[in-house]
Every structure is written in C-alpha cells, then in structure tokens.
Amino acid sequence: MGSKYTKRYAEEFKRDAIALVDSSGKTVTAVARELGISSESLRGWYRQAKADRDEGTPGELTMAEREELKRLRRQNAEQARPIEVLRKATVFFAKESDR
C-alpha cells in the first residue's frame, strides 16, 4: 500500500529530469532510477511537458488549460450555491402561497 507522504520536487529539478530524458536517449525508467525517484512521477512530468509543448496525445490538456479548468470548476461551484438556495426558496414560497 502507498505511503501517506507525498514527496514534492522543485520545478527546476523536474525540468532538469525531463531535459535529461530528452537529451540522454535513455528510457524514463532508467533516468528515474539514476535520479532515485519514482518512474511514474517522472513519466507524469514528462507526459505533461510534452503536452505543454503541443507534442502530447490529442485531447491532452496543457498545464495552463488544467489551471483554467480548475478555476472555472471552482467558480461554477461558487455560483451553484446561491442558485440552489434560490431554487429551494422558490419551492418553499410556492408551497406557502398555495395555503
């Protein structure tokens, strides 16, 4: 089972690791082993970097698009709350006016 602790890496370290994969001709797994990091972490960073350079698979989101999507989802949730309150109030007052 996985650890509850997630190690954070500096952006500079991630960029250097991705550049090492690109320049060395080695596999992601081999570079990850050399750096002492998880191959899945490096694979994710590498895949995201390719998407940011428009080299990823079709439909894959860039980091900027992910951030915008997160912001829009948060904004949508904030706007949904008052709409739900107004909907419930409308139902309540409609029932009260029928009495």
Side-chain angles (χ1 to χ4, degrees):
M1 186 164 263
S3 171
K4 291 182 183 179
Y5 174 74
T6 302
K7 187 167 183 177
R8 304 283 179 180
Y9 295 95
E11 289 301 317
E12 182 179 7
F13 177 79
K14 292 178 184 181
R15 280 192 305 272
D16 290 346
I18 292 164
L20 188 57
V21 171
D22 284 335
S23 65
S24 70
K26 296 180 182 176
T27 65
V28 171
T29 304
V31 172
R33 193 175 302 121
E34 288 176 10
L35 296 175
I37 60 174
S38 163
S39 61
E40 288 305 310
S41 293
L42 181 54
R43 188 170 286 109
W45 303 339
Y46 188 70
R47 187 177 298 125
Q48 185 62 57
K50 284 180 70 173
D52 289 345
R53 296 186 306 240
D54 289 330
E55 298 172 4
T57 59
E60 196 168 14
L61 299 177
T62 65
M63 190 57 87
E65 290 169 332
R66 287 179 189 272
E67 291 298 320
E68 182 181 13
L69 183 58
K70 186 189 298 186
R71 181 186 62 78
L72 291 171
R73 284 182 174 163
R74 192 176 319 116
Q75 182 181 7
N76 188 23
E78 289 171 5
Q79 291 174 351
R81 286 184 207 108
I83 291 170
E84 182 63 19
V85 169
L86 291 173
R87 187 190 66 75
K88 288 180 180 181
T90 301
V91 170
F92 174 79
F93 287 118
K95 287 180 183 178
E96 287 295 313
S97 66
D98 287 344
R99 288 184 180 189

